[in-house]
Amino acid sequence: MTYPEGAIAKLLESVAFDANGLVAAIAQRHGTGEVLMLAWMNRDAVRETLETGRVTYWSRSRQAMWRKGETSGHVQTLRSLRIDCDGDALLLGVDQIGAACHTNRPNCFFREVREDGLVTISEPIED
Amino acid sequence: MTYPEGAIAKLLESVAFDANGLVAAIAQRHGTGEVLMLAWMNRDAVRETLETGRVTYWSRSRQAMWRKGETSGHVQTLRSLRIDCDGDALLLGVDQIGAACHTNRPNCFFREVREDGLVTISEPIED
């Protein structure tokens, strides 16, 4: 999905960016509910995501725009974007090509607490 | 679910708390995939959640422990807890009593971007 300027402006008005100019963005696989990852967006990343329909984050470690999949090919295509009650979190519905996680696992939440400690619950995808 | 001390210690070792001592926590309804809310936990909140099986956050606005549902009755019971690849986000599987959102809606992500702007997609629950 891409959105016209009016809709983008309306959304940006409602986002409560933090002191670093960032908002948390949860990526969820469209249709299955699988939570893929949590990352961050600045104003330009939100705008670019809505204008192009390709999900772009802000990389806090690299301090640069992070066009998801630009090097890996593991692109996220935007299907929907919701904002929470106080405007400091976004929920993206996405189509994910390949692995969402840099470990090549389907999603980043592959370690679960169990009675005996932390257990790895998914393995890397073979490309 | 509640967890023994060994498992709690193992998880806490893996959490990368930020400069404010916090980690982002996504609450997802167990069994449906519905993302309910994004909130924050400090070390004590993570520990209390795992020890008691009742989800407790850290309220950044009140700077206090936030035992979800303590005043509203809208308690979250922990079913599972996962941590992401770089340790700075948690994904909680929960059973939610009543509304997760303080607006009395089922979840906090009730506004969606559409071509014509921001649309409210769910209404408050009648108790």
Side-chain angles (χ1 to χ4, degrees), chain B residues 6 10 18 34-36 40 44 50 58 66 69 77 79 92 94 106 110 113 116:
Chain B
K10 208 78 188 159
D18 70 12
E34 179 188 359
V35 174
L36 300 172
W40 295 84
D44 287 346
L50 290 168
W58 175 255
W66 170 21
T77 306
R79 296 291 297 259
L92 317 178
V94 305
F110 57 83
V113 191
D116 51 349

Side-chain angles (χ1 to χ4, degrees), chain A residues 28 33 82 84 111-112, chain B residues 28 33 82 84 88 111-112:
Chain A
Q28 184 176 33
R82 297 179 185 171
D84 77 348
R111 293 179 294 167
E112 185 167 297
Chain B
Q28 184 177 33
R82 296 179 186 171
D84 77 348
D88 64 0
R111 293 179 295 167
E112 185 167 298

Side-chain angles (χ1 to χ4, degrees), chain A residues 20-23 39-46 56-67:
Chain A
N20 298 312
L22 301 178
V23 61
W40 294 84
M41 290 183 170
N42 63 5
R43 181 174 293 267
D44 288 346
V46 174
T56 294
Y57 301 102
W58 175 255
S59 167
R60 295 178 302 170
S61 54
R62 291 187 291 108
Q63 289 285 304
M65 295 287 271
W66 169 22
R67 295 180 180 86

Side-chain angles (χ1 to χ4, degrees), chain B residues 73-93:
Chain B
H74 297 167
V75 169
Q76 291 179 348
T77 306
L78 187 68
R79 296 291 297 259
S80 64
L81 191 149
R82 296 179 186 171
I83 182 169
D84 77 348
C85 49
D86 53 4
D88 64 0
L90 304 177
L91 179 61
L92 317 178

Side-chain angles (χ1 to χ4, degrees), chain B residues 1-103:
Chain B
M1 278 290 288
T2 60
Y3 296 85
E5 176 56 31
I8 296 172
K10 208 78 188 159
L11 187 267
L12 284 173
E13 271 172 28
S14 302
V15 179
F17 292 100
D18 70 12
N20 297 314
L22 301 178
V23 61
I26 302 161
Q28 184 177 33
R29 196 187 299 275
H30 179 77
T32 71
E34 179 188 359
V35 174
L36 300 172
M37 56 187 284
L38 173 70
W40 295 84
M41 290 182 172
N42 62 5
R43 180 174 292 268
D44 287 346
V46 174
R47 170 174 290 285
E48 185 171 308
T49 297
L50 290 168
E51 279 178 351
T52 65
R54 284 265 307 261
V55 179
T56 294
Y57 300 102
W58 175 255
S59 168
R60 295 178 303 170
S61 54
R62 291 188 290 107
Q63 290 284 303
M65 294 289 270
W66 170 21
R67 295 180 180 87
K68 178 74 180 152
E70 197 169 38
T71 54
S72 65
H74 297 167
V75 169
Q76 291 179 348
T77 306
L78 187 68
R79 296 291 297 259
S80 64
L81 191 149
R82 296 179 186 171
I83 182 169
D84 77 348
C85 49
D86 53 4
D88 64 0
L90 304 177
L91 179 61
L92 317 178
V94 305
D95 290 328
Q96 171 71 58
I97 294 183
C101 185
H102 76 287
T103 66

